[in-house]
Amino acid sequence: MSPRLEMQGIAKRFGATRALVEVSLSARAGRVLALIGENGAGKSTLMKVLSGAVRPDAGTMRLEGAAYQPSGPQAARRAGVAMIYQELNLAPDLSVEDNLMLGGELSRGGWLLRGRQREKVRSALEMLGHSELNPRAIVRRLSPGARQLVEIARALVHEARVVVFDEPTSSLPQHDVEHLFRVIGRLREAGLAIIYISHFLEEIRRIAKDYLVLRDGASVASGEL
């Protein structure tokens, strides 16, 4: 099976600092790739390149076999790359539905098609195994785990094919961690490619099949777990 996402020879300098040194990464459909490294190893820069926030100095990227060169984060999201950061990018005073559809609202003649939107929202929540989450609920009133679920569901609504989790358990209680792992399992079963960044090796061994280790901006180890 060919990789869903390929990054080849990615290099980036910031002044005299070599942030990335010809790093290559492959993420496959239905598998979890663990991206491992200490702070400053280059993980964040590599993911910023993937998300369109930073332009590489060298290297190529391919998504589903086609050239992938996002002009910015919105272009990356439209192409199917979703980033789930530690600091969730949600509008706390809006409903679950409005957060999920933000930027992709369904309308006709200037009117929102609430029925069709709610159908898409419920479909995404059901896929994640959380159909009990009320689309009308205000995000501010949700638990941290439920807010994270909203962010993940938004990726599904916008048809993400690659989802990146950046230290997703760092601020979650243990029962929410278990919920997250079940959700990631459902994403994997649905054929999405998952990149999982974490310092917790026990988590990585539990959910990942592949790994890439960065040190000082370079890839120093990779393989299957």
Side-chain angles (χ1 to χ4, degrees):
M1 182 185 297
S2 62
R4 173 150 287 179
L5 167 73
E6 291 183 279
M7 305 177 77
Q8 295 289 332
I10 302 297
K12 183 64 184 179
R13 277 184 179 270
F14 295 105
T17 301
R18 300 176 73 189
L20 294 172
V21 186
E22 296 185 358
V23 175
S24 296
L25 173 155
S26 294
R28 300 180 181 275
R31 293 174 74 95
V32 178
L33 169 70
L35 184 57
I36 308 167
E38 297 178 352
N39 290 335
K43 305 187 303 298
S44 293
T45 302
L46 185 63
M47 291 301 97
K48 286 178 180 177
V49 170
L50 175 61
S51 70
V54 167
R55 284 187 174 274
D57 298 329
T60 61
M61 295 187 285
R62 299 185 71 81
L63 184 62
E64 303 282 15
Y68 169 69
Q69 296 176 308
S71 58
Q74 288 189 347
R77 285 192 293 271
R78 287 195 298 270
V81 175
M83 309 292 293
I84 312 295
Y85 293 105
Q86 292 181 53
E87 298 296 327
L88 300 179
N89 186 26
L90 297 172
D93 294 318
L94 296 183
S95 68
V96 170
E97 177 185 337
D98 288 339
N99 269 278
L100 264 60
M101 300 304 302
L102 198 61
E105 293 85 355
L106 302 180
S107 63
R108 181 183 298 147
W111 294 90
L112 283 179
L113 301 176
R114 284 287 185 185
R116 287 181 56 193
Q117 284 197 170
R118 197 150 291 148
E119 185 177 329
K120 288 192 71 170
V121 168
R122 290 193 184 280
S123 178
L125 293 173
E126 285 173 6
M127 179 180 168
L128 298 178
H130 285 273
S131 57
E132 80 286 350
L133 188 57
N134 186 350
R136 296 184 179 90
I138 301 302
V139 164
R140 183 185 299 282
R141 299 171 185 163
L142 301 178
S143 70
R147 292 177 196 170
Q148 188 177 64
L149 184 70
V150 172
E151 189 84 78
I152 299 167
R154 181 163 64 183
L156 293 181
V157 164
H158 293 282
E159 301 180 352
R161 293 174 285 172
V162 178
V163 180
V164 180
F165 289 89
D166 184 9
E167 300 283 355
T169 65
S170 59
S171 59
L172 293 181
Q174 187 57 40
H175 69 277
D176 282 341
V177 171
E178 294 300 324
H179 288 161
L180 173 64
F181 288 170
R182 286 194 288 272
V183 165
I184 290 176
R186 285 176 175 263
L187 297 177
R188 182 174 49 77
E189 290 167 4
L192 278 70
I194 310 297
I195 300 175
Y196 189 90
I197 304 171
S198 177
H199 289 96
F200 302 120
L201 293 181
E202 63 274 14
E203 290 183 3
I204 289 168
R205 293 191 186 99
R206 181 172 171 183
I207 68 167
K209 291 294 184 183
D210 309 297
Y211 72 91
L212 172 68
V213 181
L214 297 184
R215 182 183 302 148
D216 298 327
S219 172
V220 295
S222 63
E224 293 189 8
L225 291 167

